[in-house]
Every structure is written in C-alpha cells, then in structure tokens.
Amino acid sequence: MRWRLYALVAAGSFRRYATYRVATAAGVFTNTVFGFILAYAYTALWDQRPGLGGYDLAQALAYVWLGQALLAAASLMGGGFEDELMERIRTGAVVTDLYRPADLQLWWLAADLGRGAYLLLGRGVAPMAAGILAFDVALPPEWWMWAAFLASVLLGLVVSFALRFMVGLSAFWLMDGTGVAQISWLAAMFFSGMLLPLTLFPGLLGEVARAMPWSSLLQVPVDVYLGKRTGWDLVAAYAFQAGWAVALLTLGRLVQRAATRRVVVQGG
C-alpha cells in the first residue's frame, strides 16, 4: 500500500513537469543548439586525434548527444528538487513533511524519479533524434542494449538523487545551502564526464574520476549504450552504480535521522 503512495507521488511529479510545455520546448531548443556546437567541436578534435579516449568519431558524437539527453534528467547542472527542499527547511515547512505518514527520503525520491522520467522523454528524446538525423551517431546494434542502457540510466538517476538529497539536507545545519549546491553542481559537471569523457582524463585523475559516484550519471550509461560494457563488465557496471546508490541512500538516511533529532530537540 505504501509503495502505491510513492507511485502516485512519482506520477504526480511527472504530470507537474509536463504542464510546463513552453519551458520544455525552450529546453529542447537549448539542448539541441548546444548539442550541435559540441558535436562540431568534437568532430574537429577527433579529426585530429582519431580514437581519442577509446572512441571513434561516431561514438564520440553519441557521447555528445547522450549528454544533452541526460543533462536535465540527471540534473547535471542542478535544477532538481534540492532547492525546494532547502527552502522548506529554511521556512520550517519541512516539519509538516516529517509528520506525514510517509518517509521523507522515499517521498522525494519518488518525486525526483517522476521529474527525471518526464525530462528524459520531454527534453531528451528530441535532441537525441536531431543529433542522429544530422550526424553519423553510433547506435546500439542489438535491441537489448537499449534496455541495458535504460536500466543504467535509472540507476544513475537514483545516484543523482542520493547525492542531491544530502545537499538539500545540509540546510538543516547551514543558514544557506547555496554554496553546497554550487559545489555539488560543479562536481557533477566535472566528474560525470559532462565536460569531457572521463576516459580522456590522464593517470590517477582518470582513475579517481571514474571511481567517483558522479560517473554513474553519464559516463557509465554511455559506455553501456556504446556496448563497451557487456557480459560480466555490464554486471560490474550495474554493481558499481547500485553500490553507490545503496551507500549514498544509506548515508542520506543517517543524515535525515540526525536532522530529525535536531528538529525535535529545537522544538522541545
């Protein structure tokens, strides 16, 4: 019965974002324009350095357009629920949330997955289709690779939520969580591979970047899409993402409990 509640929360969040049609159209236009700019930049770079980062040009172009497709859904540049959560903490409205017959973390997770699902469809499909029509973009040769890619995207969305949930909870201890949110945004941009594929990062920096949770948001799903993770490597990719999701969700729950105790003590 409780899971039905969270399913309704996710569906409600999906419908909520679907009402902003003009914003969706503007987002599609922006993502497509920047996709073209990045695609031409990558084409020039790969013409000079074929096979850079272990990708041929078609795969590099797929990386560009998948990045644009996942940009909003995975909140790689912010814009998720964390701003609303911090505002509710600042105003004290979060007390009402804590008294609901629903878990705070699961409530926001359901809402964020609904948001991510809509943005993936509403702002992801069209730019990706434009890129496929305009460029020689690598496509998965087998149908099951699409399903494997979507499963990896889902795990990435959960990791993204878990990271941003702790950012939102930081407002319990800080007067303003804007600084933490900005640091989180910069980390997501750099360590997800949004700026450049993490396979291009040299030496120890590359190893550390690929081991960070943010790589689950873009780098891992793209490699699954491109067929670079198959067999046991695919299982390892899922285990990597799921491991970070469980670890971060558990840490977030511990932080939530500490924040709840703080509210109770201050209220008393």
Side-chain angles (χ1 to χ4, degrees):
M1 193 69 178
R2 188 64 62 84
W3 292 108
R4 182 182 177 185
L5 169 64
Y6 299 127
L8 291 174
V9 171
S13 180
F14 186 99
R15 289 194 299 269
R16 172 189 174 188
Y17 280 87
T19 60
Y20 299 105
R21 298 176 182 176
V22 175
T24 299
V28 169
F29 176 78
T30 302
N31 285 13
T32 303
V33 169
F34 276 96
F36 272 88
I37 293 172
L38 289 172
Y40 283 119
Y42 271 51
T43 299
L45 180 59
W46 257 259
D47 281 344
Q48 297 299 315
R49 297 286 301 276
L52 187 63
Y55 302 125
D56 59 29
L57 178 57
Q59 292 172 332
L61 290 172
Y63 193 103
V64 168
W65 290 105
L66 288 171
Q68 294 304 303
L70 294 175
L71 179 63
S75 294
L76 295 176
M77 295 183 67
F81 72 94
E82 59 272 25
D83 292 337
E84 183 179 352
L85 176 57
M86 286 190 288
E87 180 63 17
R88 294 186 67 82
I89 294 172
R90 188 186 67 81
T91 61
V94 71
V95 174
T96 303
D97 300 337
L98 293 173
Y99 278 104
R100 285 175 179 164
D103 182 80
L104 181 70
Q105 186 185 56
L106 292 178
W107 178 282
W108 285 106
L109 173 59
D112 198 56
L113 288 179
R115 177 202 63 85
Y118 173 74
L119 292 178
L120 184 63
L121 293 173
R123 288 186 56 176
V125 173
M128 185 69 185
I132 291 173
L133 291 173
F135 298 91
D136 182 19
V137 175
L139 298 174
E142 303 289 343
W143 70 266
W144 64 265
M145 296 175 68
W146 286 101
F149 165 69
L150 291 176
S152 182
V153 168
L154 176 60
L155 288 171
L157 293 182
V158 176
V159 173
S160 174
F161 162 81
L163 288 164
R164 291 178 289 115
F165 183 67
M166 288 189 291
V167 170
L169 292 180
S170 68
F172 276 107
W173 289 270
L174 302 174
M175 293 295 293
D176 185 359
T178 303
V180 177
Q182 289 177 343
I183 292 173
S184 174
W185 167 68
L186 290 173
M189 286 289 291
F190 186 80
F191 289 110
S192 68
M194 188 65 205
L195 297 179
L196 282 173
L198 299 182
T199 53
L200 271 63
F201 289 16
L204 181 61
L205 175 61
E207 294 179 9
V208 171
R210 288 188 291 273
M212 299 289 276
W214 291 280
S215 65
S216 298
L217 280 56
L218 179 59
Q219 182 68 58
V220 174
V222 169
D223 283 343
V224 171
Y225 171 94
L226 293 174
K228 294 185 176 294
R229 298 294 193 103
T230 58
W232 286 110
D233 282 342
L234 179 59
V235 174
Y238 287 156
F240 173 81
Q241 291 179 292
W244 271 118
V246 171
L248 291 169
L249 288 173
T250 301
L251 181 58
R253 184 161 294 277
L254 294 175
V255 175
Q256 176 185 323
R257 289 177 180 175
T260 303
R261 287 195 297 269
R262 180 181 178 88
V263 170
V264 171
V265 170
Q266 290 181 343

